[in-house]
Amino acid sequence: MEISAYKPYGDPEFESLIERIHPPRVCIDNDSCRDCTIVKVDSANKHGILLEMVQVLTDLDLVISKSYICSDGGWLMDVFHVTDQLGNKITDESLIHYIEEAICASRRGSREVQTCVDRNVRARHVSMEHMAMEMTGIDRPGLMSEISAVLAELGCHVSAAVAWTHNKRAACIVYVEDELKHGPIQDPYRVAQVQAQLENVVEAHHYDGERRSVRLAAPAASQTHTERRLHQLMAADRDYEQCCSCDYESSADDEVYRQKKGCNGTEVKVENCRQKGYSIVTVRSVDRPKLLFDTICTLTDLQYVVFHASISSFESIAIQEYYVRHKNGWTLDSESERRRLTQNLMAATERRVSHGLRLDVSTQNRVGLLSDVTRVFRENGLSISRAEIGIQGEKAVGTFYVKDASGQAVNPETLETVRREIGGTVLVVNKSLGKSTSQPTSSSNTSPSVSTSHSSSKQDKPGFSLGSLLWSQVEWLSSNFRPIKS
């Protein structure tokens, strides 16, 4: 007879009472550590709260260099070592106040901070007013150009978009609004028309029965964070199936580790600690921004609970160790379950890795802009491997990672043609030399609107990111917060 795991009943009213008696506490300490700010959170625990806290920090483009997590016994005590993109401590009082309020609000399920953030900032991450077009399918040159051209032709204005590619698969989320009404598309006939046209574009280069999907999601207050949703879309598309893993010794030479074949720089090890009743999941990879967020996303969406964890980085290598159980209380006992988790974690660490030349674009926002920019790439034989596009005031800003359609580096003549045809300001980052050059094109007087970035992985980071849009609003937001009630 099969015995199911015991799961005690939890009265929601009792849980609410516990939170009122012991509200979450956030301490931001700039004194204990010489080179980073320490964020400490002490609170009652719930499934998914770790991801929400990490999301608050990564949405602000903060670098998490170390973290210690403990959430046994229904209570959590988590510590994060963070810096800004330049490696400096967080000293801005308005930003500190925002972090405290945002973490507490996410823990309590409060809307008092969320209301301000949704209206002014968070729309770049989760649009509460605009319809979302979600697509998955085969990665091929020109796909994003064709999608954005159809949207422009149908009178859909793109307010933000994010696209990832991994293992020859592609996923993108495009937020659109009605070009004339400057609001959500509400006519059911028009929604069906847009859906049908987009399906034709995606289906055109697929074989019968091959995986693909196109979905239009209406605006909703409960929409998932954009980057988490991208992880979910790519996992549902099974992009992880080509990922493999290699066992490793913790004392292995880092250079040997980076040169191992078939692992794409990431290794995952899963073993059981029977004495304590946990499964121990160790992820070793090249460090980069938002790595912790991507890993926690995967564990949370696969219904694993993190009880203890230690995350650290040394030079360009990150080591994450998690003590987990499935939400039903069981450890990872079957080989198939361990393999599935391994593949998913490897995919999560690889999806955001950038391939190709980085182009940061800043130009005047206009209807059809994304269609025009991606058309220039397509006509010049360039393929987009990753992209983030959004709006800052009257400007449209975006980061594109591009390669020659054959997968080779972009030649200088093509690059100059692209810069000239796009208009506005295009900042080109030479990854191999670690240098960047910017050049206004046409008659524009626009100056580069690109943030300097830094990470412990020494990789370049997009000058525009969804989280960077938060920075300009933090001071304004802080004046709208009410004090935490204790």
Side-chain angles (χ1 to χ4, degrees), residues 61 85 289 352 354 358 360 386 388 398-401 429 450-453 459-466 468:
D61 283 339
Q85 291 293 312
R352 206 191 291 264
S354 305
R358 191 185 89 196
D360 291 338
R386 186 160 72 93
E388 293 185 8
T399 294
F400 300 87
Y401 284 84
V429 176
V450 183
S451 305
T452 305
S453 61
Q459 290 184 351
D460 61 288
K461 185 176 182 294
F464 163 74
S465 73
L466 298 175
S468 66

Side-chain angles (χ1 to χ4, degrees), residues 33-301:
C33 191
R34 183 184 62 183
D35 55 0
C36 68
T37 297
I38 300 178
V39 179
K40 305 175 185 177
V41 184
D42 182 3
S43 171
N45 192 25
K46 72 170 183 180
H47 183 64
I49 183 58
L50 175 59
L51 176 58
E52 292 174 10
M53 292 187 294
V54 172
Q55 181 177 298
V56 168
L57 299 175
T58 55
D59 277 356
L60 292 168
D61 283 339
L62 299 180
V63 176
I64 304 174
S65 58
K66 290 183 181 180
S67 181
Y68 305 98
I69 295 160
C70 180
S71 60
D72 243 340
W75 198 261
L76 67 84
M77 291 179 287
D78 296 347
V79 178
F80 304 94
H81 292 226
V82 303
T83 64
D84 65 16
Q85 291 293 312
L86 298 175
N88 301 318
K89 291 185 178 183
I90 312 304
T91 56
D92 186 290
E93 289 297 329
S94 61
L95 178 57
I96 289 174
H97 188 56
Y98 174 82
I99 294 171
E100 292 172 338
E101 284 284 332
I103 290 178
C104 287
S106 67
R107 180 61 196 94
R108 296 190 303 257
S110 170
R111 308 300 296 181
E112 60 188 53
V113 173
Q114 192 111 337
T115 300
C116 296
V117 175
D118 285 345
R119 185 179 66 252
N120 297 282
V121 178
R122 197 165 172 259
R124 299 289 81 82
H125 284 280
V126 182
S127 177
M128 299 304 171
E129 298 94 15
H130 303 151
M131 178 173 290
M133 188 284 293
E134 301 178 346
M135 183 283 301
T136 59
I138 294 176
D139 178 29
R140 59 178 174 81
L143 176 59
M144 195 166 187
S145 174
E146 293 176 19
I147 289 174
S148 55
V150 168
L151 292 173
E153 183 179 344
L154 294 173
C156 301
H157 177 51
V158 175
S159 61
V162 187
W164 290 353
T165 61
H166 178 243
N167 281 348
K168 300 180 180 180
R169 310 297 298 178
C172 73
I173 299 177
V174 181
Y175 292 109
V176 297
E177 63 179 347
D178 190 293
E179 176 185 330
L180 299 177
K181 298 180 180 179
H182 301 289
I185 303 172
Q186 298 177 331
D187 181 3
Y189 173 78
R190 191 169 172 211
V191 171
Q193 181 188 27
V194 173
Q195 172 104 15
Q197 294 280 8
L198 291 171
E199 286 176 347
N200 288 338
V201 169
V202 175
E203 186 178 327
H205 294 267
H206 285 71
Y207 300 109
D208 290 340
E210 196 164 26
R211 298 192 307 273
R212 62 184 181 274
S213 70
V214 177
R215 174 176 175 264
L216 293 179
S222 59
Q223 269 182 257
T224 306
H225 185 278
T226 301
E227 293 176 346
R228 181 180 183 185
R229 183 62 185 150
L230 277 169
H231 279 298
Q232 293 172 348
L233 288 174
M234 298 207 83
D237 194 50
R238 306 203 299 274
D239 72 314
Y240 57 83
E241 289 184 339
Q242 296 183 41
C243 294
C244 67
S245 184
C246 303
D247 291 333
Y248 64 89
E249 298 295 332
S250 59
S251 59
D253 181 80
D254 285 344
E255 188 63 30
V256 173
Y257 152 76
R258 283 193 291 269
Q259 293 178 358
K260 277 191 174 181
K261 303 298 182 181
C263 293
N264 295 319
T266 303
E267 295 171 349
V268 180
K269 181 165 61 177
V270 181
E271 54 189 348
N272 285 337
C273 178
R274 300 190 181 279
Q275 296 84 351
K276 301 293 184 180
Y278 300 115
S279 290
I280 304 175
V281 180
T282 308
V283 183
R284 181 181 173 90
S285 67
V286 175
D287 195 15
R288 60 165 176 76
K290 298 192 177 184
L291 178 62
L292 180 60
F293 173 84
D294 295 337
T295 307
I296 297 294
C297 258
T298 298
L299 291 171
T300 303
D301 286 336

Side-chain angles (χ1 to χ4, degrees), residues 404-415:
D404 184 274
S406 61
Q408 304 302 313
V410 182
N411 69 60
E413 292 79 11
T414 300
L415 182 57

Side-chain angles (χ1 to χ4, degrees), residues 400-456:
F400 300 87
Y401 284 84
V402 297
K403 299 180 291 185
D404 184 274
S406 61
Q408 304 302 313
V410 182
N411 69 60
E413 292 79 11
T414 300
L415 182 57
E416 285 306 312
T417 302
V418 167
R419 295 172 70 168
R420 184 172 59 253
E421 293 183 6
I422 286 178
T425 297
V426 179
L427 185 145
V428 181
V429 176
N430 188 326
K431 296 182 70 174
S432 62
L433 299 178
K435 298 178 181 179
S436 63
T437 59
S438 62
Q439 176 181 333
T441 56
S442 302
S443 58
S444 171
N445 294 321
T446 308
S447 60
S449 177
V450 183
S451 305
T452 305
S453 61
H454 166 80
S455 75
S456 56

